[in-house]
Amino acid sequence: MTTDGSLTAPQDPAHDPADDPAREPAAGHDQAPASTPIVAVALDGAGWHPAAWREPGARPEALTDAAYWVGLTQLAEAGLVDLVTFEDSFGIPVGPWDDPAADRTDRVRVRLDAELVAARVAPTTRHVGLVPVVTVTHTEPFHVAKALATLDHTSRGRAGWQVRASPSGTEARLTGRRDLPEITQEDYTSGRADEQVAERFAEAAAVVDAVRALWDSWEDDAEIRDVATRRFIDRDKVHRVDVETPWFSVRGPSITPRPPQGQPVVTALAHATVPYELAARSADVVFVTPQDDATAASILAEVRAAEERVGRTGEPLRVVADLAVVLDTNGRAGAERLARLDARAGSAAGSGWVTDARVLAGSAADVADVVEAWTALGYDGVRLRPAVLPDDLEALVTDVLPELRRRGLARTAYDAGSLRGLLRLPTDVPSRFAVV
Amino acid sequence: MSTPTGTPRKQIILGAYLGGVNHHTLWHLPESGSQIDFSTFEHTARTAERGRFDFFFLAEGLALRERDGQVFDQDIVGRPDTFTVLASLAAVTEHLGLAATINATFNEPYELARQIVSLDHLSGGRAAWNVVTSFDAFTGANFRRGGFLDRSQRYERAAETIEVVRSLWDSWAAEDLVIDKEAGVFSRSGAGSFAHAGPQFDVGGWFGVPRAPQGHPVILQAGVSPQGRDFAAANSDAIFSPYGRFDEARAYYQDVKARAAGFGRDPDHLKILPSASFVLGATEKEAQDKARWVREEQVTGRTAQILLEQIWNRDLSAYDPDGPLPDVEPALDAPSFIAGRALTHADRPATVARLRAQAEANGWSLRQTAVEEFTRGSFVGTPTRVADALDDFVQDDGSDGFVIGSYLVPTGLDEFVDDVVPLLQERGSLRTEYTGTTLRDNLGLPTPARAGDAAVARAV
Ligand SMILES: Cc1cc2nc3c(=O)[nH]c(=O)nc-3n(C[C@H](O)[C@H](O)[C@H](O)COP(=O)(O)O)c2cc1C
């Protein structure tokens, strides 16, 4: 760490924009050599463990500093990961089923807007994909569309989006625009909330549709700058979207010209049938949370079935497994570190850290084994959630990624100029409005 | 020089304005660059910072303008999301303020407060919010709340929006962030809690962003109606004004400063910043010729018709741009022929009468009239003359500074920074180095006190 508290990356991404390979137009035909699994890193606050902020290396006072996020993202880029996600929620950060109204003083209670964090980091990195969580339940599809399109412009084709539907009545109160009942874990697991959940995800799907339509609302070559006629754009290449849904309508077109990737990468985290279907209908990448090899196999089958049910055509959904990691690091075993974290989090004796994803406490080889096994099952990759930042991210970069590379399970170089290219998604994405 | 020796000179505040959707930018010149690529924003912001400007400024329009149901194709069209560009610019600048024009009608206070204060943290205290209140149904069709507000209601909503936003910013005291790793206390009990019930908003809960580096990010306002002036005088730190001619500017300056005093504020804490453009030349004649050329290039015959259609509210495409003004009267009750303009012409007949009188007195054609009406406000001359004019304008209380744009994107500001800025610095009217760390510091604005616990209702 440097004296200003920022994390330094082994390679210096400061660069002369003129010789930046990422400046090449993102659309085109990236060479796709033998593809390795997608390796993503999920950044959240001081790390995913609720007690992460109390670790000696954690810098909880820096969570609102740009240098903190720049350091972490540059570190991930030094590890050649495909993308980083920036966690967010509309309200304050709370654990998956913590009471969002509780006045807890022992948890991280702060979080900056993830889309702005990604934008702040964009000019300080040049290859890694930048994927903020953006909530769709209370935001304006029009604002969301132009924000992510702009992130794609400022990052030169590296923007993605993790779609988040908000389950919480507490969050609805923040805008006061409508009342939504609170959904508790019990409601959710008992099926009592099925209708509610279906409704929120239907709305989320409608938002993604609207955003995607707005991204297409300017064709790639709408700007013509025809000096002879003094026409700046060809207005026949800028389109209204006229989206009508039960929850909102958007007329369009966007005010922002088409993003460099055409369609920035859409991702979603999903744990159940309804969200699998949302992902199958709307996303390019789904993050899922298998607990072991058996659930890994069944979830993958469920996702493929969801794709069939919704009639997905074209590119198959990229399925990426989430794995929370507490690694052997700084001379301490992962298990030992996890025990200390759990004790500090004050979880009920013996219950340990239960989160939505599998928690792996162990060595780089242990992580590589899981990646190997799940890749063999048909997964497209893995998203690693460092339990503690920066400790587990440093261990990922210095130990885990080299181990994955040794086994041919991680990339050895950035070989594409856009996030779509890194993910082997088609990089030539015509606007739906383009007449061929 | 107009200031008596011995009196310290007023420091000129400078904002750099990158034209969004507009007819001012001469996009057809070969040296004109992209309106959307990040390099354009980066170049302009870095240039402004090199010239020790206070802030970089982006306007906003939330729907593409249309004429008779079709998107304009003659002007620069298309713009990015403001917050996203500014957050990225925070990475490539160190001192420059980052001012976002954000509409109070088409945004929710919670989300707005969070974005602005996030930008303030991510830029180390350089965020500003220019509150605008455009309200038309055409733009509303892009948003969940849909529809629009009545003209008379938009400042009510804006005022309540600011009230909610401020209470969210005040929901954290600096000392609420405890961060005691040993004791396991991250924050004080109650930190971030808020509640507000009013005619426009009934909201409450927890706000997850600690107190801004600036306490409150800087508030700007743009609007000129009496209601708008009161709103600005009561709520804002600075006003982006359209008054570029000295007499009207000074009258406006006196008016809003008096209104600020009427609200119990120190008038010095409300900065008035007209929008301004410039054209430079090696000689006075060269500059005047160039300025004339720029204005003629900005307003082609077709653009002239369209600009006047905003006032007439009807199709003027049949009228010869080189002929007289249309002899028809403006359509008062028809739906908007031009949709999506931020500035509306409230009193069409009066405007038409004024333009007719001017055209007749000066022998102007339709196009010349449009040129005069829509391209004024320039400082034209040699760098020395322009520096003198800008400085005198400020020292004589026409304004506290300017928001400066150029007809050439992105390199147009370079000339100003290279040739005019050093002269202002020589005169002692512009800093040579940044003195403060935040935008508030640089603008010489006080940090607002945090509303006490009594004023910030606690939700628990
Ligand atoms: C100098 C100036 C710049 C403005 N810029 C914008 C802008 O970028 N976006 C916008 O929506 N409205 C903009 N407005 C419009 C104002 O927000 C407001 O709607 C308009 O001036 C009418 O309000 P008023 O009746 O108080 O003047 C601007 C107004 C002025 C005077």
Side-chain angles (χ1 to χ4, degrees), chain B residues 94-232:
Chain B
E94 254 182 273
H95 302 283
L96 196 64
L98 301 164
T101 298
I102 301 290
N103 195 297
T105 305
F106 303 114
N107 288 278
E108 303 297 335
Y110 179 87
E111 193 183 3
L112 248 184
R114 187 165 186 261
Q115 289 171 312
I116 298 165
V117 75
S118 290
L119 181 63
D120 207 46
H121 280 288
L122 290 169
S123 63
R126 298 190 273 141
W129 171 26
N130 178 34
V131 185
V132 294
T133 57
S134 308
F135 57 95
D136 59 282
F138 171 76
T139 305
N142 283 331
F143 296 98
R144 280 180 187 263
R145 285 207 199 244
F148 60 100
L149 282 176
D150 189 72
R151 189 178 167 80
S152 65
Q153 272 188 323
R154 68 213 155 93
Y155 280 110
E156 289 165 30
R157 177 165 161 127
E160 201 175 319
T161 298
I162 287 204
E163 198 184 322
V164 178
V165 165
R166 286 204 170 121
S167 81
L168 289 164
W169 290 344
D170 282 346
S171 68
W172 282 80
E175 58 281 7
D176 280 348
L177 216 48
V178 178
I179 309 199
D180 183 337
K181 287 185 182 178
E182 279 314 306
V185 180
F186 183 83
S187 57
R188 274 184 217 230
S189 170
S193 130
F194 74 97
H196 171 99
Q200 304 279 339
F201 305 105
D202 182 0
V203 294
W206 299 92
F207 189 59
V209 192
R211 193 154 185 80
Q214 295 189 93
H216 290 180
V218 170
I219 303 256
L220 284 87
Q221 184 268 4
V224 294
S225 62
Q227 225 191 338
R229 291 177 189 215
D230 272 342
F231 173 83

Side-chain angles (χ1 to χ4, degrees), chain B residues 224-225 229 241-246 248-250 252 274-275 393 398-399:
Chain B
V224 294
S225 62
R229 291 177 189 215
S241 100
Y243 299 115
R245 290 183 180 138
F246 184 77
E248 61 180 14
R250 194 178 152 109
Y252 178 77
S275 99
F393 199 103
S399 73

Side-chain angles (χ1 to χ4, degrees), chain B residues 285-301:
Chain B
K285 168 140 189 356
E286 190 188 305
Q288 293 296 343
D289 289 350
K290 189 169 173 195
R292 168 71 20 211
W293 172 78
V294 168
R295 295 174 81 184
E296 298 285 343
E297 289 294 311
Q298 286 171 329
V299 182
T300 62

Side-chain angles (χ1 to χ4, degrees), chain B residues 236-269:
Chain B
S236 70
D237 298 303
I239 299 179
F240 179 34
S241 100
Y243 299 115
R245 290 183 180 138
F246 184 77
D247 292 342
E248 61 180 14
R250 194 178 152 109
Y252 178 77
Y253 186 92
Q254 287 170 344
D255 177 57
V256 285
K257 295 248 175 179
R259 288 177 197 248
F263 287 104
R265 299 182 60 198
D266 179 346
D268 232 23
H269 296 160

Side-chain angles (χ1 to χ4, degrees), chain A residues 54-55 58 88 90 103 105 110-111 113 115 119 136 139-140 143 146 150 154 203 225 230 232 252 255-256, chain B residues 28 33 66 73 78-79 81 84 88 91 106-107 110 114 118 142 144 181-182 186-187 189-190 208 297 300:
Chain A
R54 299 179 63 186
E55 287 293 282
D88 206 358
F90 200 64
D103 186 14
T105 60
V110 306
R111 186 180 259 162
D113 182 282
E115 199 273 334
V136 296
T139 46
E140 294 283 359
H143 288 320
K146 73 180 162 49
T150 301
T154 73
E203 180 181 359
R225 296 200 184 217
R230 281 288 191 106
F232 181 77
I255 56 170
T256 307
Chain B
H28 60 288
E66 287 183 4
D73 56 6
R79 56 170 108 226
D81 176 70
T84 306
S88 289
F106 303 114
N107 288 278
Y110 179 87
R114 187 165 186 261
S118 290
N142 283 331
R144 280 180 187 263
K181 287 185 182 178
E182 279 314 306
F186 183 83
S187 57
S189 170
E297 289 294 311
T300 62

Side-chain angles (χ1 to χ4, degrees), chain A residues 118-131:
Chain A
R120 173 63 181 78
V121 163
T124 72
T125 54
R126 56 154 97 170
H127 301 290
V128 68
L130 304 172
V131 183

